[in-house]
């Protein structure tokens, strides 16, 4: 017999609703029927006072009119034939006025003649924070100023004279407010001390290249990681989001928070230039997603126009008829790694066309030739680009022959990979490129990607426009129409420029960083058209603030309005079994902030490989992501059965990125016995898609009201308040891990 408890035991949960809901589910086999059906269930809790007591749950008889659906990881229930549900709802208004937090566990017995059995040990009690509903009417700015005062306490050095920071430029909305805060003294690295925090979600820099979520309760423990965005749930029930940024003289406006012991916050610019002026945008709201949206919007409003980007952009190449986000694709990486060749690629895709279905056509419309095609001195992190052309031993007819052969196979579009520097180790100083372009010698520090120091030669800022113009012109002549540009944040690994190490050299590195972006984006627009770049290893505050500045000047006619692709998380690792739940959870959680850049970027959750146990889960995740859907692997992975199992023969209608359910925001769902839930509004047909995943190794259960989820999704994504509707359950399936559940509403 298997027992599921909600709220999950061993976790911290918060309740912002009028009722605290307790659910216990018994999944049992025929042999266990007598024991289960005669059972009594209680929560053992201190909810009413400091004394612990048992409170019975009521056995619920299921019926078709019950408004609550239970989503359980059915793959864990293969031996179960029946299920019992026990329920208890306690009105928050009936709880003691002083109650803010309580604990509970669950006990049960088959009859009064036997002893109670505990579902788990007391060290795995559930903790629940109870919030009294806050008024939904517009609060005065003074209310939000009090929230800031309670959240940011002065440091020990400044508390006798001032709070240590200045908060101004307040903007109020119907459900929240935002402001900009700045340190009162530029000499003090510590801004303030965080207080009144119940739970937090920190988006931290795993390294220069990737942002990952970290979670916790009142003590913010992010260790050595730099925080890009911090979302906190305060003891008042209000959510606050903090995003630092810089207003200095360099081309970078990225900044980070670091959290010291006892929740002391420190600010620093990504440039590490101490003269930079750093600020923090703070968004307060009754909704956590809106809090982050407001904070990021305030950063965007505060940033200056993008320098160095010509107001007269080049005439874009004609739009391609095959859009990357509306057609499936194939990437060579996990099928070939750096051993990709013309013969191997054409042979593999020919075999896939013959095996994948009976219509003699490929299951994808575009191909990305990843790392391994270029002319370099070696294919590793130290390899240097010799020239712009393809390796003639691997591609004897250059890329033109390969693009033509792919076209004959039915491929509509071909792209290639390269790094922003050209290759991982920059440019070969003894090669032809060094004769055509001026190079600058820089020093690269140790990074998790290249695990030792080294010197790198890079094309100088004054030559990089000519380099990219020549490079992309040649690619377009070869039949290439899009690029994946990798290793973009590598500029942050440089600590010297042309032999100099100082604030002046760091400023030059930042300016070179931006010059490379301008050159690459201009050439891509000119030769490939709009929406032709996949940004990878680019989750840096520098690029995030750059994208915000591009969004400032977006018009429907501008290049920025044609969205680029943006890798939303670290790589997909098919052979690391434990990585799959983490990868999905990281992507889903990162949409909390990346969806605020959706005017410029489309999300890319990376490729996935068919013919594996987790392939279906990844396929569903890519579909609901609202971004690219592309695969990798060898010919043997693309059988007719494996493609049918993926269930991606038809795309959903265009839609925004998924909205992560608020109950999943502050818990690491890879470690929680609950379902990762997100909703997606599909414009134009009154539909909401609910995506459910068990990304943990535990038994998982989540009860929910579909009606409530629908109205919340519509309100958040379309701004509809209080819509009335009817629910048809005809389209609801019984979901297992990763299955897609779709239902439609018709507004009354």
């Amino acid at each position: 017999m298997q027992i599921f408890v909600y709220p999950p035991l061993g976790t911290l949960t918060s309740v912002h609703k009028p009722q605290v809901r307790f659910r216990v589910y018994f999944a049992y086999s025929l042999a266990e029927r007598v024991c289960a059906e005669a059972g009594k269930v209680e929560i053992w809790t201190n909810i009413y006072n400091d004394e612990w007591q048992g409170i019975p749950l009521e056995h619920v008889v299921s019926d078709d009119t019950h408004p609550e659906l239970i989503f359980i990881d059915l793959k864990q229930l293969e031996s179960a034939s029946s299920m019992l549900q026990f329920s208890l709802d306690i009105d928050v208004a009936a709880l003691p006025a002083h109650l803010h937090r309580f604990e509970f566990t669950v006990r049960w017995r088959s009859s009064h003649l036997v002893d109670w059995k505990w579902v788990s040990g007391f060290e795995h009690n559930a903790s629940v924070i109870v919030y009294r509903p806050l008024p939904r009417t517009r609060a005065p700015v003074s209310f939000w100023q009090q929230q800031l005062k309670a959240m940011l306490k002065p440091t020990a050095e400044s508390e006798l004279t001032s709070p240590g920071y200045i908060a101004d430029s307040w903007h109020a909305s119907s459900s929240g407010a935002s402001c900009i805060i700045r340190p009162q003294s530029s000499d003090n690295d510590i801004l303030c001390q965080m207080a009144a925090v119940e739970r937090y979600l920190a988006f931290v820099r795993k390294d220069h290249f990737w942002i990952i979520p970290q979670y916790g309760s009142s003590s913010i423990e992010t260790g050595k990681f730099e925080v890009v965005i911090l979302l906190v749930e305060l003891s008042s029930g209000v959510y606050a989001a903090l995003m630092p940024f810089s207003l200095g003289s360099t081309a970078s406006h990225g900044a980070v928070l670091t959290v010291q012991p006892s929740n002391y916050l420190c600010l620093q610019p990504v440039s590490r230039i101490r003269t930079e002026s750093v600020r923090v945008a703070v968004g307060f709201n009754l909704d956590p997603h809106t809090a982050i949206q407001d904070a990021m919007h305030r950063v965007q409003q505060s940033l200056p126009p993008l320098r160095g980007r010509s107001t007269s952009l080049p005439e874009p190449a004609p739009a391609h008829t095959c859009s990357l986000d509306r057609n499936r694709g194939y990437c060579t990486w996990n099928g070939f790694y750096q051993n990709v060749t013309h013969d191997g690629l054409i042979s593999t895709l020919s075999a896939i066309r013959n095996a994948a279905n009976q219509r003699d056509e490929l299951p994808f419309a575009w191909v990305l030739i990843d790392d391994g095609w270029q002319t370099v001195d070696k294919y590793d992190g130290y390899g240097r680009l010799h020239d712009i052309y393809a390796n003639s031993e691997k591609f004897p007819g250059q890329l033109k022959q390969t693009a033509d052969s792919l076209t004959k196979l039915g491929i509509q579009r071909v792209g290639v990979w390269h790094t922003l520097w050209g290759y991982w180790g920059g440019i070969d100083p003894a090669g032809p490129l060094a004769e055509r372009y001026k190079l600058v010698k820089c020093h690269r520090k140790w990074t998790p990607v290249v695990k030792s120091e080294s010197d790198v030669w890079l094309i100088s800022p004054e030559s990089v426009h000519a380099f990219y113009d020549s490079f992309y012109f040649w690619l377009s002549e070869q039949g290439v129409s899009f690029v994946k540009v990798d290793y973009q944040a590598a500029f942050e690994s440089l600590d010297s420029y042309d032999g100099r190490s100082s604030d002046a050299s760091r400023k030059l590195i930042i300016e070179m960083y931006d010059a490379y972006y301008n050159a690459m984006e201009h050439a891509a627009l000119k030769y490939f058209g709009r929406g032709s770049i996949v940004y990878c290893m680019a989750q840096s505050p520098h690029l995030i603030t750059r994208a915000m500045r591009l969004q400032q000047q977006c018009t429907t006619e501008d290049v920025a309005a044609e969205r680029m692709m943006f890798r939303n998380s670290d790589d997909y690792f098919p052979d690391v079994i434990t990585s799959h739940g983490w990868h999905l959870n990281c992507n889903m959680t990162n949409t909390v902030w990346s969806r605020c850049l959706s005017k410029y970027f489309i999300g890319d959750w990376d490729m996935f490989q068919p013919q594996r146990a987790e392939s279906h889960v990844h396929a569903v995740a890519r579909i609901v992501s609202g971004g690219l859907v592309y695969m990798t692997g060898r010919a043997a992975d693309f059988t007719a059965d494996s493609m049918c199992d993926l269930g991606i023969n038809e795309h959903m209608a265009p839609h925004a990125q998924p909205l992560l359910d608020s109950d999943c925001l502050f818990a690491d769902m890879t470690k929680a016995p609950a379902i990762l839930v997100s909703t997606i509004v599909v414009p134009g047909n009154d539909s909401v898609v609910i995506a459910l995943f068990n990304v943990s190794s535990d038994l998982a259960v989540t009860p929910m009201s579909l009606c409530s989820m629908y109205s919340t999704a519509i309100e958040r994504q379309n701004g509809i308040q209080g819509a009335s509707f009817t629910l048809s359950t005809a389209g609801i399936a019984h979901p297992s891990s990763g299955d897609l559940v779709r239902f439609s509403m018709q507004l009354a």
Side-chain angles (χ1 to χ4, degrees), residues 147-419:
Q147 298 298 313
L148 179 68
K149 185 177 180 180
M151 179 180 70
L152 299 183
K153 296 295 185 182
T155 63
E157 293 78 9
S158 63
E159 61 183 349
L160 296 179
T161 57
S162 68
Y165 63 87
I166 297 172
D168 53 24
S169 188
W170 282 89
H171 291 178
S173 67
S174 59
S175 60
S178 61
C179 68
I180 303 295
I181 65 175
R182 64 182 188 275
Q184 201 158 26
S185 171
S186 59
D187 298 330
N188 191 357
D189 289 336
I190 298 179
L191 176 68
C192 55
Q193 184 181 27
M194 290 285 288
V197 175
E198 294 290 355
R199 300 187 297 171
Y200 72 86
L201 166 60
F203 292 100
V204 304
R205 304 192 73 185
K206 175 188 172 187
D207 47 39
H208 295 310
F209 312 103
W210 303 115
I211 291 174
I212 61 174
Q214 281 196 347
Y215 317 82
S217 52
S218 56
S219 178
I220 302 174
E221 299 176 355
T222 54
K224 64 179 180 179
F225 294 114
E226 299 171 340
V227 180
V228 180
I229 299 172
L230 179 62
L231 176 67
V232 295
E233 181 182 66
L234 300 176
S235 56
S236 63
V238 167
Y239 297 99
L242 294 82
M243 183 177 182
F245 63 100
S246 169
L247 287 177
S249 58
T250 69
S252 174
H253 292 276
V256 292
L257 294 166
T258 57
V259 185
Q260 306 298 325
S262 301
N263 286 4
Y264 282 102
L265 294 184
C266 299
L267 272 172
Q268 60 182 6
V270 171
S271 67
R272 301 296 189 270
I273 299 174
R274 293 186 60 84
T275 57
E276 297 292 274
S277 177
V278 184
R279 303 284 187 267
V280 180
V282 183
F284 292 102
N285 209 277
L286 303 182
D287 173 71
H289 292 278
T290 308
I292 284 187
Q293 179 181 319
D294 289 349
M296 294 186 69
H297 183 63
R298 290 304 304 274
V299 173
Q300 181 171 310
Q301 288 181 321
S302 303
L303 295 175
L306 196 63
R307 294 188 305 161
R309 185 178 175 89
S310 173
T311 54
S312 56
L313 291 166
E315 183 70 23
H320 206 286
T321 56
C322 173
S323 87
L324 301 180
D325 61 316
R326 298 309 308 151
N327 295 274
R328 293 187 298 275
Y330 174 83
C331 178
T332 61
W333 180 243
N334 290 103
F336 295 91
Y337 295 102
Q338 290 164 324
N339 299 315
V340 61
T341 66
H342 167 83
D343 290 341
L345 177 58
I346 300 305
S347 174
T348 293
L349 293 192
S350 297
I352 291 174
R353 185 182 68 172
N354 296 333
N357 53 55
Q358 299 176 355
R359 294 181 294 176
D360 195 35
E361 62 183 34
L362 284 164
F364 24 76
W366 53 267
V367 167
L368 171 63
I369 304 174
D370 214 293
D371 188 5
W373 68 271
Q374 292 171 286
T375 303
V376 298
D377 55 5
K378 51 186 174 182
Y379 291 106
D380 61 21
Y382 305 94
R384 293 165 175 168
L385 187 65
H386 187 70
D387 210 334
I388 62 175
Y389 309 117
N391 184 319
S392 58
E393 294 182 2
K394 293 183 169 189
F395 295 84
Q398 290 294 299
L399 296 177
K400 178 66 173 172
Q401 179 191 20
T402 305
D404 290 345
S405 298
L406 290 172
T407 300
K408 292 177 182 177
L409 288 173
I411 294 300
Q412 301 174 40
R413 197 166 184 185
V414 178
V416 296
W417 172 99
H418 67 85
T419 76

Side-chain angles (χ1 to χ4, degrees), residues 702-717:
T702 297
M704 66 182 69
S705 164
L706 292 185
C707 293
S708 174
M709 292 197 69
Y710 174 82
S711 58
T712 300
I714 290 293
E715 179 180 333
R716 281 176 172 156
Q717 299 205 43

Side-chain angles (χ1 to χ4, degrees), residues 550-596:
L550 289 169
Q551 288 188 152
Q552 288 177 344
Q553 56 197 56
C554 278
T555 69
T556 55
E557 303 300 325
D558 193 9
V559 59
E562 279 293 336
R563 299 186 295 168
M564 305 296 185
M565 282 59 66
F566 177 69
R567 271 286 296 281
N568 197 55
S569 82
D570 201 345
D571 291 0
Y572 160 75
F573 298 106
D575 298 322
V576 183
I577 302 303
T578 56
S579 72
H580 297 295
W582 180 90
H583 184 268
L584 198 156
N585 183 65
C586 183
N587 268 298
M588 195 70 76
T589 309
N590 274 352
T591 61
V592 172
W593 62 267
S594 64
R595 68 199 320 271
C596 298

Side-chain angles (χ1 to χ4, degrees), residues 12 18 20 27 29 53 92 102 121 127 143 156 197 267 359 386 394 569 616 637 661:
L12 174 63
V20 184
S29 65
Q53 60 181 303
V92 170
F102 69 91
S127 294
F143 171 80
V197 175
L267 272 172
R359 294 181 294 176
H386 187 70
K394 293 183 169 189
S569 82
H616 177 63
D637 297 320
D661 189 73

